[in-house]
């Protein structure tokens, strides 16, 4: 197959490479010319513009947009929509808010253009491990791009099969590492919840290691302290414990490099998915204390002191004469 | 009546004064001699030592210990226990952990000495407004010290009476601002939960004002900002709104003085009660997400970055190549 | 002044009455004819329709819409917009999402119609106590309706004045119980945060009383139990304690009536404000663990078991053979 | 080596078997005679009593106690302490609170008896996969029992090695699946935090799947619903995603069996470790919103309605006339 790929950053570039490794052709475009050149060196067909890409694709054109969510993706899809033909397929492989997918799919459908949203997990490791993909869109369109998805997916590999999977009820593709989740938007919805869970898992480890580290703190009486080797603890939990996971593997690797993690500032970003996950939960009236606490810990990590903290001190001063003022 | 008061800090001094205003006699002691002298100037009988206090009290001696919880209170009560006579009454008016009360009451009971724990709310305002008190101990001992408690309590004052209070089931003293909650330890237990609630209430206001303040933040697109007058908002909520409270009154006063609260550092202390409240909840298997979050917000306010935050960044770097390092 | 009031439910009816008590005229409409008749009996001018109301109002017509947020309010305002004249004022006194206010104000401004949003607190008590109001809109329009707002507000009453209020920086109306918060939407924004705080405060009390009640539970060893009188505890905290508040007054009244609260099911509704408050916090990246936990507790109160709980049991069975199945 | 094993439940029995498979001898005891007989059939030496076990062990006796934490473990260790000789080693392999370990180690040290605490993860899978162990105690004693620990551990197996592990700083045993964490109590401390993290991880998945499931709920407008296949989603996340883990493997298996999880009641137990983890965090003043929320979700899962929920309804009725009463 032949596929156009727009956006050749860390993710887009690796996606193009993995598709080519499987024997497909890619036409690639990025505003940053050297990124195009690098892919061309790896065998891709370069394009100077979206229109140039269109001219180099097949009669039924397939576009994979791999850009930051929001304006960059929105504008690129609008441009493609301007010249695409009925039957063409536009794939958004980024981190788009699923309600934007639903809106776009409806808009493109009026022109006979198919829209497929692909939530993609796997990060910088995807080129080698394959990408885990959650796909939304009409069945026909998803089936058309299936060879591309199959090429990107990790495949069954060495991961043990889940017992009791019933072939009749379930999608065989799941074992290959991708699923057709449902109509447009559902792919990004599932990916969004995936990221919400990711935040929760990460924060659970973070809090646990905080407690381990705090056990040597001088805040504690000397006889209550343990001086624990966090590197070894992360390592041992990888081996036979209930909490082994890929995130723990990454933690163990980071701690093995530097148990103090001094290279990291402690200011933690969040992309939109954590926020949207909480919104989705509220729309459904589902209680999500863990997922929200994980998100809020990141917000809190990015400020020195909240105004709210100062108000607490002001109240304490008001009722108790407690003084909590800067030195 | 005559009562010995040990510990003449902000709380102890005001307690002595309010007792004297009601016509009772106080014998006062503090390691800090000027504190004793100040009370003597206000009409108290000074004591040089605990033994001296004993000699100046009545045949049935009543001791009110008003010291920091933990060692200071523990040691003072141990000293009094060494010389007290059967029938004497030892009152702990501080912020003692209620399980310590239970232990001490048992220990003193073996010598015929009564132990009464008084959880005291009211802070620096108590001298004028009166102290709200939650009392634990044997009925006889509590009844004996009732005149002292009545003197300290705010009394019914101008606060409207609660409809439907049934005199047969309920303690008439509650309307005066003090209650006999139950056996030894129960007074401090109720006070402990009071403080746990206090943390929750304070944090609810703190978060709300954080949102109001954040609405003018440059993080938001300009057309989504409001520049709100927090001083006026706190004021208006005092008047007819569902969330009016004394803590809001204090917030309004602090904001009226300085809407930026720049005098406060934002590092917020916690005394033990919040922690103990969560422990009590866990012993009972009661979910307390609000009370715990309020406590943890104070812990978080006292550190720049947690180790856990760094671990989050380390994981993010591991799977996504995200760089969150100090500049 | 003369004002049209649409929606004569519990809130709307009392608003009309309080406005009339201050000597203003009201023209009232409700789909429910007996509600109109009841107000007419109290001195209002009845209207059969919105158009009829328009004909009975002054040259510069003022409409106060007091309907459920969402469709009812939206449609009513659309109807009024269809016939209103430049210079007319439309007030939304309900619980509208503030972004809807911003949109509507813009839409009405194109026709020269003014839009004022009034967040109103006070519930069923407003007729007697007055309503606490947070007002958004253009200065001129708000000033025009000031006599109505002043009539509805509680006034300074017996509530002590906040020290240090600086007349130059602050809005004198705040002490009367209403404020002009800013442009359209800001009134409902402040009211929304008010309700978010309200949820947090309520949940803090709820958790505290849960711990008090749980202390007599048979889950605890007998020697660790206290049998506490919750009615008296709520009462005593009203009197001189740090956590006294109007919500505590209401709790004390409910507990005085029935300490077991058996009349209540324990399924707790939420209106939109709690949800919107969390959304606003996320847009600002403000951590709000207490406000979110309070909202989620209500969600949780309305289901027997979550699917997530079952998944926990399924995992526990998977790794430990723990059996948590229905009997 | 020869080792005595007391407690032949699911964990104890498998531990004995795995030790024997490695060529060591076991002397086994359980109050339940058939459990002893089953192990004897597998090659163990049966004992009728603790004293009988002692007589059948070597000159330096090693006891592995694998009983429920609390009284059963406490009493058994007290009995062994009564007859053990200086140099003997008592291992507690259960889920003991680490402060009890510290106390016991001190008590046994006075008699020259060594105490080793082993936190053991691996559940019903340990026999085949090996047990992940976190060990506390004096270096000599831990080194003495090392062959037993090595036999129980999973070994390096097929799990990829962590890059950058520095042999000089780290314990080589960690890669085999066990560590010597520090002095007595530290093994159970690390295991306790492990379980605290486990709760957090589980709850993150639980909340995420709740949101996925809720997306088909009739609470949502029809056009906002997705009917998602949870079984396939769990499966696909196992393959190349950031949130792959053993707990997810178990979830996938459970969902593959029955996507509705109808076999599970939704009442979720907690053992002490979650509670103790929060206590440890509070002693260190470490904020743990995720770990506590995970624990509280389990508490909440076990009650129909909280008293606090009823109080919320009572307040709502008080200020707004909202009626939330049983039908």
């Amino acid at each position: 197959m032949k596929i156009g790929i727009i956006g050749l950053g860390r993710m887009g570039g690796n996606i193009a490479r993995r598709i080519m490794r499987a024997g497909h052709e890619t036409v690639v475009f990025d505003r940053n010319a050297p990124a195009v050149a690098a892919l061309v060196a790896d065998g891709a067909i370069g394009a100077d513009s979206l229109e140039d890409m269109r001219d180099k694709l097949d009669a039924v054109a397939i576009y994979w947009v791999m850009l930051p969510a929001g304006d960059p993706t929105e504008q690129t899809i609008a441009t493609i929509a301007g010249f695409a033909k009925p039957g063409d397929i536009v794939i958004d492989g980024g981190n788009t808010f699923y309600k934007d997918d639903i809106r776009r799919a409806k808009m493109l459908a009026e022109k006979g253009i198919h829209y497929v949203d692909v939530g993609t997990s796997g990060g910088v490791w995807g080129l080698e491990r394959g990408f885990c993909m959650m796909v939304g869109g009409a069945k026909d369109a998803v089936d058309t791009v299936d060879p591309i998805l199959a090429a990107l997916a990790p495949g069954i590999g060495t991961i043990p099969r889940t017992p009791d999977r019933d072939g009749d009820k379930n999608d065989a593709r799941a074992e290959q590492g991708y699923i057709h989740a449902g109509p447009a938007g559902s792919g990004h919805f599932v990916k969004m919840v995936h990221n919400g869970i990711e935040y929760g898992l990460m924060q659970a480890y973070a809090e646990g290691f905080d407690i381990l580290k705090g056990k040597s703190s001088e805040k504690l009486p000397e006889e209550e302290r343990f001086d624990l080797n966090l590197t070894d603890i992360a390592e041992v939990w990888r081996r036979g414990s209930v909490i082994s996971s890929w995130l723990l593997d990454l933690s163990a690797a980071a701690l093995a490099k530097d148990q103090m993690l001094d290279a990291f500032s402690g200011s933690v970003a969040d992309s939109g998915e954590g926020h949207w996950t909480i919104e989705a939960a509220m729309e459904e009236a589902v209680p999500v204390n863990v997922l929200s606490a994980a998100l809020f810990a990141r917000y809190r990590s990015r400020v020195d002191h909240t105004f709210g903290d100062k108000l607490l001190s002001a109240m304490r001063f008001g009722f108790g004469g407690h003084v909590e003022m800067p030195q």
Side-chain angles (χ1 to χ4, degrees), chain A residues 103-272:
Chain A
R103 174 179 50 75
R104 283 183 201 150
K106 200 175 279 182
M107 185 262 285
L108 291 172
E110 288 168 11
K111 308 187 175 195
I113 305 167
H114 303 294
Y115 183 84
V116 172
D117 53 291
V118 179
T120 312
S121 181
V124 294
W125 298 72
L127 179 57
E128 299 309 328
R129 301 205 323 171
F131 296 92
C132 172
M133 289 168 295
M134 297 134 259
V135 183
K139 185 177 183 311
D140 284 357
V142 174
D143 286 348
T144 301
V145 300
D146 188 82
I148 298 295
L149 299 171
L152 286 170
I156 197 156
T158 59
I159 296 172
R161 299 185 71 169
T162 298
D164 294 313
R165 274 186 66 81
D166 174 343
D168 290 341
K169 282 199 224 137
N170 298 310
D171 187 343
R173 291 183 279 205
E175 291 196 322
Q176 304 295 325
Y178 65 114
I179 53 167
H180 180 203
S186 65
H188 279 139
F189 183 85
V190 175
K191 174 58 167 38
M192 173 195 84
V193 175
H194 167 281
N195 284 31
I197 293 173
E198 176 191 307
Y199 283 29
L201 301 179
M202 289 172 72
Q203 186 64 20
Y205 288 116
E207 293 181 2
F209 278 95
D210 250 354
I211 298 171
L212 293 174
K213 185 160 179 52
K215 192 62 180 167
S216 64
S217 158
E218 295 184 2
K219 286 183 218 160
L220 291 176
E222 195 164 356
E223 70 277 11
E224 294 186 13
R225 294 180 211 158
F226 292 132
D227 186 22
L228 300 166
N229 183 319
L230 305 188
T231 307
D232 285 346
I233 291 171
E235 182 63 29
V236 80
W237 287 348
R238 297 180 62 227
R239 301 180 173 279
S241 103
V242 168
I243 64 171
S244 61
S245 71
W246 192 50
L247 287 165
L248 180 64
D249 293 349
L250 298 173
S251 300
L255 290 164
K257 219 168 177 177
D258 171 17
Q259 190 176 197
M260 303 308 293
L261 300 178
D262 279 333
F264 299 96
S265 64
S267 274
V268 189
D270 68 287
S271 55

Side-chain angles (χ1 to χ4, degrees), chain A residues 296 299-313:
Chain A
F296 298 160
Y299 294 164
R300 185 61 187 81
S301 79
R302 304 198 301 257
V303 286
D304 280 343
H305 286 292
T306 68
F307 183 73
D309 291 339
K310 296 186 179 196
L311 186 63
L312 295 180
S313 290

